Amino acid sequence: MTRAKSIADIAKLLGVSESTVSRALNDNPLIAEKTRRRIQDVAREHNFKINAKARALRTQKTMVIAVVVLFKERTEQGISDPWLLDMLGAIADELTRHGYDMLLSNTRTASDDWRDYYFDSKRADGLIVIGQGEHDARIDRLAQQDCPFVVWGAALPDSHYCTVGSDNKMGAYLAVNHLLNQGCKRIAFFGDTSHSEMEQRWQGYCLALQQADIEIDEKLSFETDFTSESGYRSASQLLENGPADVDSIFAVSDVIALGALKKLMDAGKQIPDDLALVGFDDVALSMFCHPSLTTIRQQTLEGGKLLVNKLMDKLAGKTVRSQVLDVQLVVRESSRKSH
């Protein structure tokens, strides 16, 4: 079987431009799918392989996007978090569609100088940051240095970079308002408000209580890390030291809620009659646990795609704007009290 030695050979065989062949071989959606498939089929027939190193030298592009998961320094949270896996999968699929590879790292491996680590050293062409930590200054520095990056997180009034994220305040408001409508009045909060997104969820929690003329009780707020283990510990503290009249829990993530659910059931509590429970995220496990978990559904897959597409626009020199995604209350067994 003959072998085409270059993109120019493929272009000549098909009577198209070299740029069309290049884009098609990188699965660029700018080229019609029928044309892409035809060019890719011819390339396979001629055993043609893209020389990635040569392309990088020619274009000065790595064709790699770095994804940094911004963990809090003392967190127990890991990449195995179900919501993170869903988000990373969505990002990886969309990057592949654009012809890019994904470099996954976290703040435990990257240096403090992200521009030097990712851009100046040619590790990546762009950066997607998942989370904002405790108002991390490294993100602000990247914005000042005009590096191509986007962030999954909360839209903050004083930020100068593009974010994609959920309507966290509304999500928490919907969750707590739902519990109030179920007759709950003493609602515990499980979460860490030092994170920007969780701070917004705390605001939504407070707003729902204030509108119901219920005083905010700091004794009902439990600082909880993004793990089931921490949710279990917070539920233990609630049962051992919390007010005796607590009738429900709003947890800022499903993994926290699932840990709390385990402790409550270990303690012999009937869910939701003794204590109702609502989470946030709508990970797959929330539907299949028993009782199934009421939660706030984030548009995680859509969010991952948006992050990639906004970064692609930024790399192309286009103006990008932050976007807030709608959330939805999903009512299941853990909060549906019998009246």
Side-chain angles (χ1 to χ4, degrees):
M1 189 178 290
T2 60
R3 179 180 178 86
K5 293 184 173 64
S6 69
I7 285 177
D9 294 335
I10 300 291
K12 189 174 181 179
L13 281 169
L14 290 165
V16 297
S17 69
E18 292 181 31
S19 62
T20 297
V21 174
S22 177
R23 289 191 178 109
L25 294 178
N26 285 303
D27 217 22
N28 191 311
L30 292 173
I31 306 301
E33 184 175 358
K34 184 177 179 181
T35 304
R36 269 185 281 156
R37 297 290 167 257
R38 185 163 67 95
I39 292 171
Q40 290 167 3
D41 288 345
V42 169
R44 273 192 295 271
E45 288 171 11
H46 288 264
N47 296 319
F48 179 79
K49 299 286 191 300
I50 293 175
N51 187 325
K53 288 183 178 179
R55 180 183 62 184
L57 286 171
R58 184 176 65 254
T59 64
Q60 294 297 298
K61 290 183 178 180
T62 66
M63 299 307 292
V64 171
I65 298 299
V67 178
V68 179
V69 181
L70 196 57
F71 289 128
K72 186 178 176 180
E73 188 175 338
R74 294 170 297 282
T75 187
E76 297 173 1
Q77 186 184 22
I79 296 292
S80 59
D81 179 293
W83 179 85
L84 272 176
L85 289 177
D86 287 345
M87 174 59 78
L88 293 172
I91 291 171
D93 288 344
E94 192 66 10
L95 284 174
T96 298
R97 195 176 75 81
H98 285 276
Y100 280 80
D101 292 325
M102 182 172 84
L103 170 65
L104 178 61
S105 62
N106 61 51
T107 46
R108 297 171 187 138
T109 57
S111 70
D112 284 339
D113 188 344
W114 286 358
R115 175 173 179 165
D116 176 70
Y117 188 84
Y118 292 108
F119 296 103
D120 294 346
S121 65
K122 300 296 183 184
R123 281 185 171 87
D125 298 325
L127 189 63
I128 296 173
V129 183
I130 308 297
Q132 294 153 304
E134 300 175 81
H135 310 282
D136 199 293
R138 288 170 293 190
I139 299 176
D140 293 323
R141 282 201 298 272
L142 272 187
Q144 292 166 4
Q145 294 162 343
D146 200 29
C147 294
F149 76 102
V150 292
V151 175
W152 172 271
L156 304 174
D158 56 346
S159 67
H160 302 286
Y161 52 84
C162 176
T163 60
V164 176
S166 294
D167 193 337
N168 295 292
K169 186 175 181 179
M170 176 56 71
Y173 176 85
L174 291 172
V176 176
N177 200 52
H178 166 70
L179 289 170
L180 292 168
N181 289 335
Q182 296 299 301
C184 300
K185 295 186 182 300
R186 298 285 282 164
I187 304 170
F189 177 93
F190 285 9
D192 182 354
T193 57
S194 65
H195 292 258
S196 299
E197 290 177 279
M198 305 312 123
E199 184 180 11
Q200 291 184 345
R201 293 176 197 180
W202 168 255
Q203 292 169 359
Y205 164 89
C206 293
L207 178 62
L209 293 180
Q210 288 164 352
Q211 289 188 355
D213 292 323
I214 295 175
E215 187 176 347
I216 309 300
D217 186 349
E218 295 291 338
K219 294 178 183 176
L220 295 178
S221 177
F222 293 80
E223 184 174 332
T224 312
D225 196 8
F226 292 99
T227 66
S228 293
E229 291 80 6
S230 189
Y232 190 96
R233 288 194 296 269
S234 288
S236 300
Q237 293 169 14
L238 175 66
L239 295 177
E240 292 168 10
N241 305 314
D245 58 349
V246 174
D247 52 26
S248 53
I249 299 169
F250 166 57
V252 300
S253 79
D254 285 350
V255 292
I256 292 174
L258 291 169
L261 177 63
K262 176 72 166 68
K263 175 58 187 179
L264 296 176
M265 296 186 73
D266 286 350
K269 299 295 181 182
Q270 297 297 310
I271 312 298
D273 293 332
D274 293 336
L275 276 157
L277 179 64
V278 178
F280 202 113
D281 289 335
D282 195 30
V283 300
L285 285 172
S286 63
M287 183 188 299
F288 297 107
C289 62
H290 182 72
S292 56
L293 182 65
T294 294
T295 186
I296 299 298
R297 177 176 294 159
Q298 299 198 80
Q299 297 184 55
T300 306
L301 300 184
E302 179 65 19
K305 291 178 182 178
L306 276 172
L307 286 167
V308 172
N309 287 315
K310 285 182 181 294
L311 182 57
M312 293 297 115
D313 285 346
K314 197 167 181 62
L315 288 169
K318 299 178 183 178
T319 300
V320 295
R321 301 186 186 281
S322 295
Q323 189 164 341
V324 178
L325 300 175
D326 291 335
V327 293
Q328 178 187 355
L329 173 69
V330 180
V331 179
R332 298 194 181 106
E333 298 165 340
S334 68
S335 68
R336 200 182 284 126
K337 290 200 175 193
S338 54
H339 295 290

